Amino acid sequence: MSELDSIFSDDWSEDHRSGFVAVLGRPNVGKSTLINAILGQKIAITSHKPQTTRKQQLGILTTDDVQIIFMDTPGMHKAHNRLGDYMMDAATTALHDADIILWILDVSEPPQAADAHVAETITSTRNKAPIILALNKADLLNDEENDLSEHLNLIEQHSAMQISALHNLGMTELVDHLISLLPLGPRFYPVDQVSEANMRFITAEIIRERIITNTEQEIPYSVAVAIDSFKESEKRTNIHATIFVERDSQKGIVIGKGGSMIKTIGSEARQELMTMLDTAVQLDLHVKVLKNWRTDERLMQRVGYRFPKKDDR
Ligand code: GDP
Ligand code: MG
């Protein structure tokens, strides 16, 4: 039996549903938090600083009757450099491929220009997939007289649900609603595949998240993390990673006085990796300067950001 046969042959009933959900929304509305809540596993990093999700990721929810493939898109914003272009490109691709468009809004504040921009992007793609507005951060609303009409009027023809991704409110209802809108059909991916982003990528994102959390100003936007080696055995995982920055001064900051900063980053990342991998972890981090990597497509590829070719889609 070929590998493909074994993936598709496990018996699926006539009423099995599966499909792709594009998770859209401006930065910081809670997209990553929502995907993590649904999958119960850390596959997309979250942070207070916007633009932490750079690559399109697939989070996959598989049950006996359903497979939902979530495309966690980078926050939509005007591109300022090549990295910005890359992020925009990934978001648009996800939108084209979706069976359902799940637009996350933050109802704890009025809609912003960036929300209107998302509306434009959705409207301008010819995808006729159903649109669901997830009115997130509903836990921050005071119960009386919440007027959400401004949010609801951002786009025509949708269904809307109030949720809190962080506090797990309304999430079951949301997932049930998604399922009811999915096309009938067999699953696309093997049962045990949680995320197409492989362990190396998740590991790099965890390290990057620790850097973002521990540093300030321009550093979070200037780092990239590449995994040089990733060796798993039953009891221990050995990981070598390189942290790329854009300037010598940034290298000094990431290493810190007497290596204090890189030590903090390393030990926090290691803690999280041990929980995720359920093994002991040895983590070796190196910091390298790659001048202005964010503005050079070739250097971006070197640190792991590859523009999709047109026929990849
Ligand atoms: P993304 O940029 O859209 O992926 O947003 P994140 O998932 O990184 O979330 C941005 C911030 O909003 C984080 O600090 C989250 O903890 C917070 N957040 C997400 N969902 C909720 C929610 O339902 N309620 C509240 N109060 N905060 C939330
Ligand atoms: Mg995110």
Side-chain angles (χ1 to χ4, degrees):
M1 200 161 63
S2 78
E3 202 181 318
L4 264 182
D5 285 340
S6 69
I7 292 169
F8 291 109
S9 70
D10 28 334
D11 46 343
W12 52 279
S13 56
E14 299 274 284
D15 52 4
H16 186 281
R17 290 175 185 275
S18 76
F20 292 79
V21 175
V23 183
L24 301 178
R26 68 170 165 81
N28 231 24
V29 292
K31 296 179 297 294
S32 301
T33 308
L34 178 122
I35 299 248
N36 292 339
I38 292 177
L39 301 181
Q41 201 165 337
K42 187 152 192 141
I43 64 134
I45 66 173
T46 62
S47 115
H48 292 281
K49 293 170 189 139
Q51 297 180 32
T52 46
T53 307
R54 283 181 188 165
K55 277 198 187 186
Q56 179 181 330
Q57 293 177 29
L58 303 184
I60 304 176
L61 178 73
T62 304
T63 71
D64 284 346
D65 315 313
V66 180
Q67 184 166 72
I68 313 178
I69 301 131
F70 291 96
M71 298 181 282
D72 177 21
T73 60
M76 295 186 167
H77 60 99
K78 294 239 164 64
H80 294 300
N81 53 34
R82 288 304 280 157
L83 182 60
D85 288 344
Y86 177 92
M87 293 162 72
M88 210 47 224
D89 219 38
T92 313
T93 306
L95 197 50
H96 268 284
D97 295 343
D99 296 301
I100 300 172
I101 294 164
L102 178 60
W103 182 7
I104 318 299
L105 289 163
D106 178 348
V107 290
S108 69
E109 50 188 21
Q112 301 177 4
D115 293 308
H117 180 62
V118 175
E120 262 169 50
T121 311
I122 295 176
T123 319
S124 65
T125 60
R126 271 167 296 159
N127 190 339
K128 289 281 175 278
I131 301 166
I132 301 177
L133 302 190
L135 306 172
N136 192 34
K137 310 197 187 181
D139 56 293
L140 298 177
L141 295 173
N142 49 349
D143 285 336
E144 293 112 56
E145 57 198 77
N146 294 305
D147 182 7
L148 298 180
S149 58
E150 272 194 273
H151 291 94
L152 294 169
N153 288 337
L154 281 164
I155 201 161
E156 290 179 351
Q157 301 215 325
H158 60 259
S159 45
M161 307 182 80
Q162 288 190 34
I163 60 160
S164 170
L166 191 63
H167 299 289
N168 209 9
L169 302 170
M171 297 296 288
T172 315
E173 292 82 353
L174 175 63
V175 172
D176 286 345
H177 187 47
L178 290 172
I179 292 171
S180 73
L181 293 171
L182 283 179
L184 292 166
R187 54 177 74 105
F188 289 91
Y189 294 95
V191 177
D192 57 2
Q193 190 162 355
V194 175
S195 169
E196 189 158 281
N198 58 28
M199 281 304 185
R200 280 172 173 254
F201 175 61
I202 297 169
T203 299
E205 289 288 273
I206 286 173
I207 296 167
R208 199 161 65 85
E209 183 182 47
R210 288 299 101 207
I211 300 166
I212 290 169
T213 310
N214 283 292
T215 59
E216 280 169 347
Q217 289 163 12
E218 89 278 15
I219 300 282
Y221 305 104
S222 303
V223 294
V225 177
I227 306 299
D228 306 315
S229 76
F230 189 99
K231 292 204 184 83
E232 274 179 290
S233 62
E234 204 172 310
K235 293 223 171 75
R236 186 192 178 90
T237 310
N238 291 320
I239 302 165
H240 290 258
T242 303
I243 299 168
F244 291 101
V245 292
E246 292 190 300
R247 288 195 296 276
D248 291 327
S249 60
Q250 296 171 339
K251 180 173 175 176
I253 295 170
V254 172
I255 291 172
K257 255 210 183 98
S260 58
M261 176 60 83
I262 194 78
K263 232 185 216 159
T264 304
I265 291 165
S267 79
E268 288 182 9
R270 206 172 68 86
Q271 284 301 323
E272 208 169 304
L273 289 166
M274 287 195 299
T275 311
M276 181 179 87
L277 297 165
D278 207 19
T279 64
V281 169
Q282 173 165 349
L283 179 60
D284 286 324
L285 297 176
H286 302 270
V287 186
K288 268 192 200 154
V289 178
L290 198 56
K291 290 230 155 56
N292 302 322
W293 68 265
R294 280 192 299 171
T295 51
D296 182 327
E297 203 174 308
R298 267 183 20 258
L299 296 180
M300 277 177 60
Q301 287 191 13
R302 228 183 105 187
V303 301
Y305 298 107
R306 189 180 69 95
F307 278 83
K309 290 195 226 84
K310 283 285 177 284
D311 43 336
D312 279 1
R313 299 184 182 171

